């Protein structure tokens, strides 16, 4: 999968890996809809220590198997520099989440690994801060960095975060790095995700990252913000038409 | 000009009306590019009392003449409830700016007028606050209200404001009112305006509001954020293709 | 009443003037506790047009009478430049609220009046913006301007606004104007108001503005954030001790 | 040193440990002024990888020696869970910085250590988020947690961050944990630090954390925001008087 240069990363999957069965269903559905990377969390950064923390290595195995079965590379979040080895063993791409965008030791560690890194913007990071964090990875020799706009904290209380769509052209004007958009975490609302995914493509993003769950009401994490597989498939049709207007391949 | 229901408001013009000659040039250019409403400020809300405050009634006359000559309805900002009569005499649409979104006496006054109102979102107004402000106008009997997302204040210091693109589907989910997007004030950067205008159309906005100036470096107000006429024309080509994908008329 | 130069404005009263009886009770209580200016709203800027909008001129009369009876100068909010004459007739000080900090025509109008102006910081105004708004009043010849920090919008959702206490020394470093603090609107929480009022005095503020209501649960506006008279009296004891340490008179 | 329950933590020292000589000078000065904990960074979280990153273990040794010589316990920032052992060897208190407030693996690791933790609020963390992060440490068995308000990101561009002073009573209303205030990082301006330190004491904070440098213009990190030793000493006199009014011991 190439990302950037006209090729788009269509990343989809559940917030957390919950079981082989559920992930298999979701992976099959997003693959059919046109996704080219499967996501799923095994180590979950939760605000409260009493929330579900992810399945750990068991989750990584399930993710790897689903990726293999459906022929999709897999990406998962890494939270601790000591997890690089195990995550690298099972996955094709590291995700550094918003809460760890300035966890500099983690950045240095994935900077020494040989797999691409999806670096999400911190909740109150400026675009320049995000580029500086990318620099921590690049400076260690890993040049495969993909940035991700996922919304920032604001006073608006009807959405989970505020999606700063202008980060897309803003980054493109000062860096060669590809940038994708995550409307799921940015809005936290399935009714707003499709419009924001379309806007991302029209703004020139190199991909979109969307949470999909076959049964959102039973999801162990962030269920309410997930799209259903059929909603995702419908959205992908729209995105394909917009990508064409933008001269991009999906 | 209809706004909403598949018809788009393409509002363009200079920040401030400066002279008949300059406005005539700009009006002709934006008309040719496909704009269907001409904007220009005669009463300018400036942070400092020592900045250019607009030409007042003289500016309204110039705006009216340019509108007549180029067959474009005109919109201008109103700042004081005592200006309703004079603005109504010359213009086709009132604009209530961000700084006055909660100037409730002004809202009531334009609510009693017979011309449509373009209500811009306040710099730290929630979407709900904006809808409540629209309600002040509607409750007085004026049902022709168009909302405008123009960015909110944030910590990001590389753009003038942060464009909250999700306001578009957010409003559409809870109100029948049309909503347009102003990427000029939202970003303050000509290099970001085209991408944000495209994103607005893809997000489902009912129009875009863009500042255009034939000689930005000589503009008396907000020149640095204006597009050149030829940049605007090129952008309009992109927007037309995206509007088509979205099933809209421009 | 002098404000600044070591003299403090202790402004107190209900959010809105509701009736002569209620206001009389409150005015007597705050006077006894040491307040030197009585506040009460007759024209209320409410987010929704369907909320209580204030008693208008009737409210001004009640406020004036309470002020006379208890020998307290009175301050009330003005929202419309056409209200200057009537407000000036009944009150000793104009308040320009946060929503109107950049209502420039209102600022000019009170700039031509002969009574002092309490100018509250806008909900997303920088300190510099606030000083520029004061400049609109000063430039018209009215030099009696008192600034008021009342919190700004932020992502923190457990308080109504975020009190920017650093605005106090920040203003003092670049202007001769006095600045007071309003912990009532800033926090919206009676449990936080005393600590913030104390902090304001220690930060060097020239006064505090506190909402007091004898029966908060029956208040027509912002009741839940009001202090009870006895809470206010207890707080005033603390403030007096802190003012002494700071070398101020209360 | 007890923190909370009427006893205050007066933490002072340079941003980064730079050399034994410089630290010795500063430590002596802050001890004389009444500080009871010495701070200094050996591992520095810098936005850019090309900025000074701290002296590492060498810095820890220098810090320990200065603490021993001047009879001050020492606190330093930890950024990586793999640093717990080495930091614990040299220091008396861990500091988890704003950028790592939601670095949950780091929180768990210091939660298993036997030394107190100074947990700083994240740049866009709510008070509730901060308490939940503290819970990660407490849940591992380490009950010695001190919270620190150090400002959050906002639109105000004349200060480094916005100090949310209301966090002090806000935390005290829902947790037994002590909370101190860091006006140095919150404002980034020496001219505002004294007023904010005074306000913190009056708001009920259990201490203040202030950066002091004997030669700010030569500091390798954050020099411009440091107080000079004599400014710190003068401030401590004010704080002592205010603490007395508040019934606290310094």
């Amino acid at each position: 999968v190439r990302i950037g240069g006209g090729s788009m990363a269509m990343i989809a999957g559940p917030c957390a890996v919950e079981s082989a069965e559920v992930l298999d269903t979701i992976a099959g559905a997003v693959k059919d809809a046109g996704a080219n990377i499967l996501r799923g969390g095994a180590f979950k950064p939760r605000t409260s220590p009493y929330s579900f923390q992810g399945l750990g290595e068991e989750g990584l195995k399930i993710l790897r198997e689903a990726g293999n079965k459906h022929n999709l590379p897999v990406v998962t979040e890494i939270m601790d520099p000591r997890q690089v080895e195990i995550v690298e063993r099972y996955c094709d791409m590291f995700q550094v989440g918003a809460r760890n965008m300035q966890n500099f030791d983690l950045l240095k560690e994935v900077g020494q690994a040989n797999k691409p890194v999806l670096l999400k913007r911190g909740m109150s990071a400026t675009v320049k801060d995000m580029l500086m964090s990318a620099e921590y990875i690049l400076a260690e020799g890993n040049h495969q960095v993909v940035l991700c706009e996922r919304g920032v904290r604001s006073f608006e209380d009807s959405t989970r975060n505020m999606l700063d769509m202008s980060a897309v052209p803003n980054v493109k004007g000062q860096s060669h790095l590809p940038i994708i958009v995550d409307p799921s975490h940015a809005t936290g609302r399935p009714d707003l995700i499709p419009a924001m995914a379309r806007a991302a493509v029209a703004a020139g993003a190199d991909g979109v990252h969307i949470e999909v769950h076959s049964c959102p009401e039973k999801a162990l994490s962030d269920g309410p913000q997930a799209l259903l597989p059929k909603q995702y498939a419908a959205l992908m049709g729209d995105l394909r038409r917009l990508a064409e207007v933008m001269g991009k391949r999906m």
Side-chain angles (χ1 to χ4, degrees), chain A:
Chain A
V1 175
R2 285 192 55 202
I3 304 178
S7 297
M8 298 185 77
M10 306 310 287
I11 305 177
C15 181
V17 175
E18 298 165 356
S19 74
E21 293 68 32
V22 171
L23 187 60
D24 182 39
T25 304
I26 297 171
V30 300
K31 170 78 176 183
D32 288 349
N36 54 13
I37 300 176
L38 178 65
R39 67 145 283 130
F43 302 106
K44 299 298 306 169
R46 304 303 297 273
T47 302
S48 163
Y50 311 122
S51 300
F52 173 61
Q53 306 274 317
L55 297 180
E57 184 168 4
E58 179 60 22
L60 295 176
K61 285 181 188 167
I62 294 172
L63 181 63
R64 179 74 269 161
E65 283 163 23
N68 287 349
K69 176 170 172 192
H70 297 284
N71 196 26
L72 287 169
V74 297
V75 59
T76 203
E77 181 161 358
I78 179 168
M79 295 164 59
D80 185 329
R82 297 168 299 187
Q83 293 165 344
V84 168
E85 201 189 350
I86 193 173
V87 171
E88 200 168 20
R89 196 180 318 144
Y90 292 104
C91 299
D92 305 297
M93 189 181 203
F94 296 102
Q95 178 190 310
V96 174
R99 290 171 184 78
N100 285 305
M101 193 202 81
Q102 293 192 317
N103 180 339
F104 300 121
D105 289 286
L106 179 60
L107 297 177
K108 288 175 188 168
E109 207 71 35
V110 296
Q112 288 166 11
N114 289 311
K115 291 193 171 166
V117 181
L118 179 62
L119 176 63
K120 298 189 114 183
R121 182 178 182 178
M123 277 186 268
S124 58
T126 62
V127 166
K128 194 180 162 195
D129 289 340
M130 177 166 58
L131 290 171
M132 280 292 126
S133 283
E135 208 66 24
Y136 268 94
I137 303 170
L138 300 171
E140 297 290 329
N142 187 343
H143 292 181
Q144 301 186 83
V145 177
V146 177
L147 304 174
C148 182
E149 163 63 34
R150 48 77 76 205
V152 295
R153 283 251 162 126
S154 86
F155 61 84
E156 172 62 57
D157 55 7
S158 69
T159 50
R160 182 166 173 177
N161 291 289
M162 185 169 283
L163 178 47
D164 177 15
M165 196 65 82
S166 73
V168 174
N170 204 343
V171 161
K172 294 208 161 291
Q174 56 191 309
S175 169
H176 67 289
L177 296 174
I179 178 167
I180 70 170
V181 170
D182 172 357
S184 301
H185 286 89
T187 66
R189 286 174 47 183
D191 59 324
L192 306 182
I193 292 170
M196 289 304 94
R198 294 195 312 260
V201 172
D206 298 298
V208 292
H209 172 288
I210 292 178
E211 290 191 1
V212 177
H213 201 286
S214 48
C215 191
E217 66 277 20
K218 291 196 183 158
L220 295 176
S221 170
D222 283 351
Q225 79 186 26
L227 290 190
L228 289 166
K230 67 178 175 184
Q231 293 172 314
Y232 182 68
L235 170 59
M236 288 291 275
D238 288 350
L239 299 187
R240 217 167 273 119
R241 282 185 288 279
L242 291 166
E244 205 173 299
V245 172
M246 296 295 296
K248 297 274 185 72
R249 289 177 299 282
M250 252 175 67

